[in-house]
Amino acid sequence: MGRPPGFDRREVLAAVEREFRKNGYDGTSLDDISAATGLGRGSLYAAFGDKRTLFLTALGDYCDQDEASGAAALAGPDETAMERLRAYFIDAVDRQLNDPEQLACMTSRFTVELAGRDRDATARLRQGFEAQRAALAGCLRAAQRNGDLDPAADPVTLATLLVVDFRGIGSLIGIGLDRAELVAVVDATLAGLPAPPPSAAAS
Amino acid sequence: MGRPPGFDRREVLAAVEREFRKNGYDGTSLDDISAATGLGRGSLYAAFGDKRTLFLTALGDYCDQDEASGAAALAGPDETAMERLRAYFIDAVDRQLNDPEQLACMTSRFTVELAGRDRDATARLRQGFEAQRAALAGCLRAAQRNGDLDPAADPVTLATLLVVDFRGIGSLIGIGLDRAELVAVVDATLAGLPAPPPSAAAS
DNA sequence: GGGGTTCTTTACTGAGCAGTCCAGATCGTT
DNA sequence: AACGATCTGGACTGCTCAGTAAAGAACCCC
């Protein structure tokens, strides 16, 4: 009954997210979004509501995917936990360096722009932070079980530190650090995780 | 010869910086600035040029002060280098937590918002990064001389890591981490710096 | 205290913005 | 094939924005 929409909702949201990520919330107009998606303003309003709602929807969609892919990348056997951890960071660095538009990390960008200004956005970003920290903490616990990490260390505190590094690295890519420096920072971060006491025999 | 300005240039720039820091570059209008400084639009244009120039001036002023105070806080005798390092981080956390308006760190905020969009702003932010990293590296070298840090470690890489942590912590304050968590992250960061080999006798 | 210079204020301009509306196009249904 | 429901795109509205211009106020110097 009636004409079906001529667009794919996920594709549109991905384009919207990309556009917001490029120039920020305030820096993106509905005309930009209309041009990027190919949809007219009327269609956008009918399908997604006003600008803020559209943004929150795109942000939620991005966070969902980001949380799922992060959890998947960090899950696995205890033996390779440390390798997964390093790959998680290096992969994030490479993805951002290889992005032709040098887009800032969505999460970092809006944590800075909207925290304290938009309650709903802040809540969603907080949830994303918790998810990333939980995934990292799980990987750290795996490393502890495998004897790669001091079992006395608190995985949540260390995971918080890793999120801090992750976000900090993302924000510094924008000012032109090269890959070698970034990789060195990642390795220094991981080298700083507390080693297990020498008495315990490593695998 | 002529009427002198009825305002203090430094005070105005500080108010401007505060206003930009509150809502970002795109989120701040000249009316906001006019209200915050008490100056009319004409006066602002005559004294500082257009919005972008005014912003760059305020950013430069802020960076100058930030670089000077950072260098001062990190300079001192080798014996207390590690203490200064910790105080530098804790002080930054407390300043931001105690800020009644919960303003984001100026540097972090505009690194994210303007990197890759405004060449001059990016260059100034890059310079600020280099200055912060150099001051931290100097402090790390002092710690090495005092036997608190592995002399084989590269101070610049570790300083880069500390800047990353510094910026990352600043951006995560916005989503509501409490002071205890932040202090734990600071301590975990410092604990991760490479200890000197046990053969060397500590002071 | 008068003159010239500089600051300050206000009103204005053209552009861009978010959001609305409606006429026409499109499609499933009957 | 015709109907009705839904989608689409462009025109429109009222507002805010950055930047300008000009009239008036304040001040220093002589």
Side-chain angles (χ1 to χ4, degrees), chain A residues 48-80:
Chain A
F48 300 101
D50 65 7
K51 180 183 178 183
R52 179 169 169 276
T53 306
L54 171 58
F55 169 76
L56 289 174
T57 305
L59 175 66
D61 211 58
Y62 173 86
C63 286
D64 288 343
Q65 291 173 34
D66 201 46
E67 289 160 16
S69 72
L74 290 169
D78 294 355
E79 291 74 27
T80 56

PDB file of all heavy atoms in Angstrom, chain A residues 48-80:
ATOM      1  N   PHE A  48      13.537  10.494   9.044  1.00  0.00           N
ATOM      2  CA  PHE A  48      14.410  10.498  10.217  1.00  0.00           C
ATOM      3  C   PHE A  48      14.130  11.603  11.227  1.00  0.00           C
ATOM      4  O   PHE A  48      14.784  11.666  12.260  1.00  0.00           O
ATOM      5  CB  PHE A  48      15.874  10.608   9.775  1.00  0.00           C
ATOM      6  CG  PHE A  48      16.343   9.494   8.882  1.00  0.00           C
ATOM      7  CD1 PHE A  48      16.436   9.674   7.520  1.00  0.00           C
ATOM      8  CD2 PHE A  48      16.662   8.258   9.416  1.00  0.00           C
ATOM      9  CE1 PHE A  48      16.869   8.643   6.694  1.00  0.00           C
ATOM     10  CE2 PHE A  48      17.092   7.222   8.593  1.00  0.00           C
ATOM     11  CZ  PHE A  48      17.191   7.422   7.237  1.00  0.00           C
ATOM     12  N   GLY A  49      13.192  12.488  10.930  1.00  0.00           N
ATOM     13  CA  GLY A  49      12.953  13.587  11.862  1.00  0.00           C
ATOM     14  C   GLY A  49      13.930  14.730  11.653  1.00  0.00           C
ATOM     15  O   GLY A  49      14.556  14.832  10.598  1.00  0.00           O
ATOM     16  N   ASP A  50      14.065  15.567  12.662  1.00  0.00           N
ATOM     17  CA  ASP A  50      14.879  16.765  12.481  1.00  0.00           C
ATOM     18  C   ASP A  50      16.372  16.460  12.562  1.00  0.00           C
ATOM     19  O   ASP A  50      16.783  15.321  12.731  1.00  0.00           O
ATOM     20  CB  ASP A  50      14.482  17.840  13.494  1.00  0.00           C
ATOM     21  CG  ASP A  50      14.771  17.408  14.916  1.00  0.00           C
ATOM     22  OD1 ASP A  50      15.387  16.349  15.112  1.00  0.00           O
ATOM     23  OD2 ASP A  50      14.390  18.142  15.844  1.00  0.00           O
ATOM     24  N   LYS A  51      17.176  17.494  12.434  1.00  0.00           N
ATOM     25  CA  LYS A  51      18.624  17.315  12.330  1.00  0.00           C
ATOM     26  C   LYS A  51      19.201  16.581  13.540  1.00  0.00           C
ATOM     27  O   LYS A  51      19.987  15.644  13.389  1.00  0.00           O
ATOM     28  CB  LYS A  51      19.301  18.680  12.189  1.00  0.00           C
ATOM     29  CG  LYS A  51      20.808  18.606  12.063  1.00  0.00           C
ATOM     30  CD  LYS A  51      21.426  20.003  12.010  1.00  0.00           C
ATOM     31  CE  LYS A  51      22.944  19.905  11.925  1.00  0.00           C
ATOM     32  NZ  LYS A  51      23.601  21.225  11.942  1.00  0.00           N
ATOM     33  N   ARG A  52      18.778  16.994  14.720  1.00  0.00           N
ATOM     34  CA  ARG A  52      19.340  16.382  15.922  1.00  0.00           C
ATOM     35  C   ARG A  52      18.972  14.899  16.004  1.00  0.00           C
ATOM     36  O   ARG A  52      19.810  14.047  16.316  1.00  0.00           O
ATOM     37  CB  ARG A  52      18.840  17.132  17.162  1.00  0.00           C
ATOM     38  CG  ARG A  52      19.354  16.553  18.452  1.00  0.00           C
ATOM     39  CD  ARG A  52      19.071  17.460  19.630  1.00  0.00           C
ATOM     40  NE  ARG A  52      19.345  16.752  20.862  1.00  0.00           N
ATOM     41  CZ  ARG A  52      18.497  15.940  21.483  1.00  0.00           C
ATOM     42  NH1 ARG A  52      17.298  15.740  20.959  1.00  0.00           N
ATOM     43  NH2 ARG A  52      18.839  15.330  22.588  1.00  0.00           N
ATOM     44  N   THR A  53      17.707  14.575  15.697  1.00  0.00           N
ATOM     45  CA  THR A  53      17.281  13.175  15.729  1.00  0.00           C
ATOM     46  C   THR A  53      18.037  12.359  14.692  1.00  0.00           C
ATOM     47  O   THR A  53      18.479  11.237  14.962  1.00  0.00           O
ATOM     48  CB  THR A  53      15.769  13.093  15.471  1.00  0.00           C
ATOM     49  OG1 THR A  53      15.088  13.933  16.406  1.00  0.00           O
ATOM     50  CG2 THR A  53      15.277  11.669  15.616  1.00  0.00           C
ATOM     51  N   LEU A  54      18.175  12.941  13.516  1.00  0.00           N
ATOM     52  CA  LEU A  54      18.931  12.260  12.470  1.00  0.00           C
ATOM     53  C   LEU A  54      20.357  11.998  12.938  1.00  0.00           C
ATOM     54  O   LEU A  54      20.905  10.896  12.765  1.00  0.00           O
ATOM     55  CB  LEU A  54      18.934  13.121  11.202  1.00  0.00           C
ATOM     56  CG  LEU A  54      19.850  12.668  10.074  1.00  0.00           C
ATOM     57  CD1 LEU A  54      19.516  11.266   9.623  1.00  0.00           C
ATOM     58  CD2 LEU A  54      19.747  13.634   8.888  1.00  0.00           C
ATOM     59  N   PHE A  55      20.949  12.981  13.551  1.00  0.00           N
ATOM     60  CA  PHE A  55      22.318  12.802  14.050  1.00  0.00           C
ATOM     61  C   PHE A  55      22.379  11.704  15.094  1.00  0.00           C
ATOM     62  O   PHE A  55      23.248  10.825  15.033  1.00  0.00           O
ATOM     63  CB  PHE A  55      22.840  14.116  14.635  1.00  0.00           C
ATOM     64  CG  PHE A  55      24.118  13.940  15.390  1.00  0.00           C
ATOM     65  CD1 PHE A  55      25.312  13.767  14.709  1.00  0.00           C
ATOM     66  CD2 PHE A  55      24.131  13.899  16.779  1.00  0.00           C
ATOM     67  CE1 PHE A  55      26.488  13.578  15.393  1.00  0.00           C
ATOM     68  CE2 PHE A  55      25.305  13.708  17.473  1.00  0.00           C
ATOM     69  CZ  PHE A  55      26.489  13.540  16.774  1.00  0.00           C
ATOM     70  N   LEU A  56      21.463  11.745  16.046  1.00  0.00           N
ATOM     71  CA  LEU A  56      21.484  10.741  17.112  1.00  0.00           C
ATOM     72  C   LEU A  56      21.280   9.338  16.538  1.00  0.00           C
ATOM     73  O   LEU A  56      21.900   8.370  16.995  1.00  0.00           O
ATOM     74  CB  LEU A  56      20.409  11.060  18.151  1.00  0.00           C
ATOM     75  CG  LEU A  56      20.684  12.283  19.030  1.00  0.00           C
ATOM     76  CD1 LEU A  56      19.496  12.587  19.920  1.00  0.00           C
ATOM     77  CD2 LEU A  56      21.939  12.077  19.872  1.00  0.00           C
ATOM     78  N   THR A  57      20.432   9.235  15.516  1.00  0.00           N
ATOM     79  CA  THR A  57      20.228   7.935  14.887  1.00  0.00           C
ATOM     80  C   THR A  57      21.508   7.453  14.218  1.00  0.00           C
ATOM     81  O   THR A  57      21.922   6.297  14.379  1.00  0.00           O
ATOM     82  CB  THR A  57      19.098   8.031  13.854  1.00  0.00           C
ATOM     83  OG1 THR A  57      17.928   8.553  14.484  1.00  0.00           O
ATOM     84  CG2 THR A  57      18.782   6.665  13.270  1.00  0.00           C
ATOM     85  N   ALA A  58      22.150   8.355  13.474  1.00  0.00           N
ATOM     86  CA  ALA A  58      23.395   7.972  12.799  1.00  0.00           C
ATOM     87  C   ALA A  58      24.473   7.636  13.822  1.00  0.00           C
ATOM     88  O   ALA A  58      25.230   6.669  13.650  1.00  0.00           O
ATOM     89  CB  ALA A  58      23.864   9.110  11.881  1.00  0.00           C
ATOM     90  N   LEU A  59      24.534   8.412  14.887  1.00  0.00           N
ATOM     91  CA  LEU A  59      25.523   8.141  15.936  1.00  0.00           C
ATOM     92  C   LEU A  59      25.278   6.778  16.574  1.00  0.00           C
ATOM     93  O   LEU A  59      26.214   5.995  16.763  1.00  0.00           O
ATOM     94  CB  LEU A  59      25.461   9.243  17.000  1.00  0.00           C
ATOM     95  CG  LEU A  59      26.358   9.047  18.221  1.00  0.00           C
ATOM     96  CD1 LEU A  59      27.820   9.108  17.832  1.00  0.00           C
ATOM     97  CD2 LEU A  59      26.049  10.096  19.297  1.00  0.00           C
ATOM     98  N   GLY A  60      24.018   6.485  16.869  1.00  0.00           N
ATOM     99  CA  GLY A  60      23.692   5.201  17.468  1.00  0.00           C
ATOM    100  C   GLY A  60      24.046   4.053  16.553  1.00  0.00           C
ATOM    101  O   GLY A  60      24.629   3.050  16.981  1.00  0.00           O
ATOM    102  N   ASP A  61      23.739   4.226  15.276  1.00  0.00           N
ATOM    103  CA  ASP A  61      24.056   3.191  14.302  1.00  0.00           C
ATOM    104  C   ASP A  61      25.563   2.950  14.242  1.00  0.00           C
ATOM    105  O   ASP A  61      26.029   1.811  14.248  1.00  0.00           O
ATOM    106  CB  ASP A  61      23.552   3.652  12.919  1.00  0.00           C
ATOM    107  CG  ASP A  61      23.129   2.493  12.052  1.00  0.00           C
ATOM    108  OD1 ASP A  61      22.244   1.737  12.480  1.00  0.00           O
ATOM    109  OD2 ASP A  61      23.697   2.348  10.950  1.00  0.00           O
ATOM    110  N   TYR A  62      26.311   4.040  14.201  1.00  0.00           N
ATOM    111  CA  TYR A  62      27.775   3.919  14.155  1.00  0.00           C
ATOM    112  C   TYR A  62      28.301   3.238  15.411  1.00  0.00           C
ATOM    113  O   TYR A  62      29.147   2.346  15.340  1.00  0.00           O
ATOM    114  CB  TYR A  62      28.388   5.314  14.009  1.00  0.00           C
ATOM    115  CG  TYR A  62      29.884   5.315  14.127  1.00  0.00           C
ATOM    116  CD1 TYR A  62      30.682   5.063  13.024  1.00  0.00           C
ATOM    117  CD2 TYR A  62      30.499   5.575  15.345  1.00  0.00           C
ATOM    118  CE1 TYR A  62      32.062   5.053  13.128  1.00  0.00           C
ATOM    119  CE2 TYR A  62      31.875   5.566  15.468  1.00  0.00           C
ATOM    120  CZ  TYR A  62      32.652   5.306  14.355  1.00  0.00           C
ATOM    121  OH  TYR A  62      34.006   5.300  14.473  1.00  0.00           O
ATOM    122  N   CYS A  63      27.784   3.669  16.567  1.00  0.00           N
ATOM    123  CA  CYS A  63      28.257   3.089  17.821  1.00  0.00           C
ATOM    124  C   CYS A  63      27.960   1.594  17.876  1.00  0.00           C
ATOM    125  O   CYS A  63      28.808   0.800  18.312  1.00  0.00           O
ATOM    126  CB  CYS A  63      27.617   3.793  19.013  1.00  0.00           C
ATOM    127  SG  CYS A  63      28.257   5.440  19.339  1.00  0.00           S
ATOM    128  N   ASP A  64      26.762   1.214  17.435  1.00  0.00           N
ATOM    129  CA  ASP A  64      26.418  -0.207  17.430  1.00  0.00           C
ATOM    130  C   ASP A  64      27.451  -1.008  16.651  1.00  0.00           C
ATOM    131  O   ASP A  64      27.967  -2.027  17.125  1.00  0.00           O
ATOM    132  CB  ASP A  64      25.033  -0.413  16.799  1.00  0.00           C
ATOM    133  CG  ASP A  64      23.901   0.076  17.693  1.00  0.00           C
ATOM    134  OD1 ASP A  64      24.152   0.271  18.895  1.00  0.00           O
ATOM    135  OD2 ASP A  64      22.787   0.271  17.188  1.00  0.00           O
ATOM    136  N   GLN A  65      27.743  -0.549  15.437  1.00  0.00           N
ATOM    137  CA  GLN A  65      28.703  -1.264  14.606  1.00  0.00           C
ATOM    138  C   GLN A  65      30.085  -1.254  15.234  1.00  0.00           C
ATOM    139  O   GLN A  65      30.802  -2.262  15.220  1.00  0.00           O
ATOM    140  CB  GLN A  65      28.763  -0.630  13.215  1.00  0.00           C
ATOM    141  CG  GLN A  65      27.504  -0.835  12.400  1.00  0.00           C
ATOM    142  CD  GLN A  65      27.538  -0.053  11.100  1.00  0.00           C
ATOM    143  OE1 GLN A  65      28.598   0.126  10.497  1.00  0.00           O
ATOM    144  NE2 GLN A  65      26.397   0.425  10.654  1.00  0.00           N
ATOM    145  N   ASP A  66      30.468  -0.098  15.757  1.00  0.00           N
ATOM    146  CA  ASP A  66      31.791   0.047  16.331  1.00  0.00           C
ATOM    147  C   ASP A  66      31.959  -0.877  17.534  1.00  0.00           C
ATOM    148  O   ASP A  66      32.998  -1.535  17.691  1.00  0.00           O
ATOM    149  CB  ASP A  66      31.990   1.502  16.750  1.00  0.00           C
ATOM    150  CG  ASP A  66      33.458   1.858  16.871  1.00  0.00           C
ATOM    151  OD1 ASP A  66      34.215   1.494  15.959  1.00  0.00           O
ATOM    152  OD2 ASP A  66      33.825   2.489  17.880  1.00  0.00           O
ATOM    153  N   GLU A  67      30.940  -0.943  18.365  1.00  0.00           N
ATOM    154  CA  GLU A  67      31.010  -1.794  19.543  1.00  0.00           C
ATOM    155  C   GLU A  67      31.091  -3.266  19.140  1.00  0.00           C
ATOM    156  O   GLU A  67      31.882  -4.033  19.698  1.00  0.00           O
ATOM    157  CB  GLU A  67      29.791  -1.550  20.437  1.00  0.00           C
ATOM    158  CG  GLU A  67      29.837  -0.198  21.134  1.00  0.00           C
ATOM    159  CD  GLU A  67      28.476   0.262  21.623  1.00  0.00           C
ATOM    160  OE1 GLU A  67      27.546  -0.570  21.700  1.00  0.00           O
ATOM    161  OE2 GLU A  67      28.327   1.465  21.923  1.00  0.00           O
ATOM    162  N   ALA A  68      30.287  -3.635  18.143  1.00  0.00           N
ATOM    163  CA  ALA A  68      30.292  -5.033  17.715  1.00  0.00           C
ATOM    164  C   ALA A  68      31.636  -5.413  17.105  1.00  0.00           C
ATOM    165  O   ALA A  68      32.218  -6.456  17.436  1.00  0.00           O
ATOM    166  CB  ALA A  68      29.164  -5.262  16.712  1.00  0.00           C
ATOM    167  N   SER A  69      32.158  -4.554  16.229  1.00  0.00           N
ATOM    168  CA  SER A  69      33.421  -4.919  15.575  1.00  0.00           C
ATOM    169  C   SER A  69      34.572  -4.895  16.578  1.00  0.00           C
ATOM    170  O   SER A  69      35.479  -5.728  16.498  1.00  0.00           O
ATOM    171  CB  SER A  69      33.700  -3.981  14.400  1.00  0.00           C
ATOM    172  OG  SER A  69      34.066  -2.701  14.869  1.00  0.00           O
ATOM    173  N   GLY A  70      34.532  -3.959  17.528  1.00  0.00           N
ATOM    174  CA  GLY A  70      35.576  -3.930  18.547  1.00  0.00           C
ATOM    175  C   GLY A  70      35.549  -5.178  19.405  1.00  0.00           C
ATOM    176  O   GLY A  70      36.591  -5.799  19.657  1.00  0.00           O
ATOM    177  N   ALA A  71      34.358  -5.576  19.826  1.00  0.00           N
ATOM    178  CA  ALA A  71      34.241  -6.779  20.654  1.00  0.00           C
ATOM    179  C   ALA A  71      34.716  -8.001  19.883  1.00  0.00           C
ATOM    180  O   ALA A  71      35.414  -8.865  20.420  1.00  0.00           O
ATOM    181  CB  ALA A  71      32.790  -6.957  21.104  1.00  0.00           C
ATOM    182  N   ALA A  72      34.362  -8.055  18.601  1.00  0.00           N
ATOM    183  CA  ALA A  72      34.778  -9.205  17.796  1.00  0.00           C
ATOM    184  C   ALA A  72      36.294  -9.230  17.633  1.00  0.00           C
ATOM    185  O   ALA A  72      36.922 -10.288  17.700  1.00  0.00           O
ATOM    186  CB  ALA A  72      34.095  -9.140  16.425  1.00  0.00           C
ATOM    187  N   ALA A  73      36.903  -8.069  17.416  1.00  0.00           N
ATOM    188  CA  ALA A  73      38.343  -8.018  17.182  1.00  0.00           C
ATOM    189  C   ALA A  73      39.121  -8.407  18.432  1.00  0.00           C
ATOM    190  O   ALA A  73      40.241  -8.912  18.339  1.00  0.00           O
ATOM    191  CB  ALA A  73      38.758  -6.617  16.726  1.00  0.00           C
ATOM    192  N   LEU A  74      38.532  -8.163  19.603  1.00  0.00           N
ATOM    193  CA  LEU A  74      39.265  -8.412  20.844  1.00  0.00           C
ATOM    194  C   LEU A  74      38.950  -9.776  21.455  1.00  0.00           C
ATOM    195  O   LEU A  74      39.615 -10.205  22.398  1.00  0.00           O
ATOM    196  CB  LEU A  74      38.956  -7.300  21.850  1.00  0.00           C
ATOM    197  CG  LEU A  74      39.561  -5.936  21.489  1.00  0.00           C
ATOM    198  CD1 LEU A  74      39.009  -4.836  22.375  1.00  0.00           C
ATOM    199  CD2 LEU A  74      41.079  -5.995  21.592  1.00  0.00           C
ATOM    200  N   ALA A  75      37.937 -10.459  20.922  1.00  0.00           N
ATOM    201  CA  ALA A  75      37.587 -11.767  21.476  1.00  0.00           C
ATOM    202  C   ALA A  75      38.449 -12.853  20.836  1.00  0.00           C
ATOM    203  O   ALA A  75      38.848 -12.742  19.673  1.00  0.00           O
ATOM    204  CB  ALA A  75      36.110 -12.064  21.233  1.00  0.00           C
ATOM    205  N   GLY A  76      38.735 -13.915  21.602  1.00  0.00           N
ATOM    206  CA  GLY A  76      39.528 -15.004  21.062  1.00  0.00           C
ATOM    207  C   GLY A  76      40.237 -15.765  22.165  1.00  0.00           C
ATOM    208  O   GLY A  76      40.001 -15.512  23.350  1.00  0.00           O
ATOM    209  N   PRO A  77      41.114 -16.691  21.778  1.00  0.00           N
ATOM    210  CA  PRO A  77      41.786 -17.533  22.776  1.00  0.00           C
ATOM    211  C   PRO A  77      42.783 -16.731  23.618  1.00  0.00           C
ATOM    212  O   PRO A  77      43.335 -15.729  23.163  1.00  0.00           O
ATOM    213  CB  PRO A  77      42.513 -18.572  21.910  1.00  0.00           C
ATOM    214  CG  PRO A  77      42.675 -17.927  20.566  1.00  0.00           C
ATOM    215  CD  PRO A  77      41.496 -17.034  20.394  1.00  0.00           C
ATOM    216  N   ASP A  78      42.998 -17.210  24.837  1.00  0.00           N
ATOM    217  CA  ASP A  78      43.890 -16.518  25.756  1.00  0.00           C
ATOM    218  C   ASP A  78      45.302 -16.381  25.190  1.00  0.00           C
ATOM    219  O   ASP A  78      45.997 -15.403  25.451  1.00  0.00           O
ATOM    220  CB  ASP A  78      43.972 -17.288  27.087  1.00  0.00           C
ATOM    221  CG  ASP A  78      42.630 -17.277  27.823  1.00  0.00           C
ATOM    222  OD1 ASP A  78      41.703 -16.607  27.338  1.00  0.00           O
ATOM    223  OD2 ASP A  78      42.542 -17.958  28.861  1.00  0.00           O
ATOM    224  N   GLU A  79      45.734 -17.379  24.420  1.00  0.00           N
ATOM    225  CA  GLU A  79      47.126 -17.408  23.965  1.00  0.00           C
ATOM    226  C   GLU A  79      47.485 -16.203  23.100  1.00  0.00           C
ATOM    227  O   GLU A  79      48.630 -15.761  23.076  1.00  0.00           O
ATOM    228  CB  GLU A  79      47.406 -18.695  23.159  1.00  0.00           C
ATOM    229  CG  GLU A  79      47.383 -19.980  23.983  1.00  0.00           C
ATOM    230  CD  GLU A  79      45.963 -20.381  24.364  1.00  0.00           C
ATOM    231  OE1 GLU A  79      45.027 -20.025  23.620  1.00  0.00           O
ATOM    232  OE2 GLU A  79      45.790 -21.039  25.408  1.00  0.00           O
ATOM    233  N   THR A  80      46.511 -15.682  22.345  1.00  0.00           N
ATOM    234  CA  THR A  80      46.816 -14.587  21.418  1.00  0.00           C
ATOM    235  C   THR A  80      46.214 -13.261  21.866  1.00  0.00           C
ATOM    236  O   THR A  80      46.077 -12.334  21.063  1.00  0.00           O
ATOM    237  CB  THR A  80      46.298 -14.934  20.011  1.00  0.00           C
ATOM    238  OG1 THR A  80      44.893 -15.211  20.096  1.00  0.00           O
ATOM    239  CG2 THR A  80      47.011 -16.145  19.444  1.00  0.00           C
TER     240      THR A  80
END
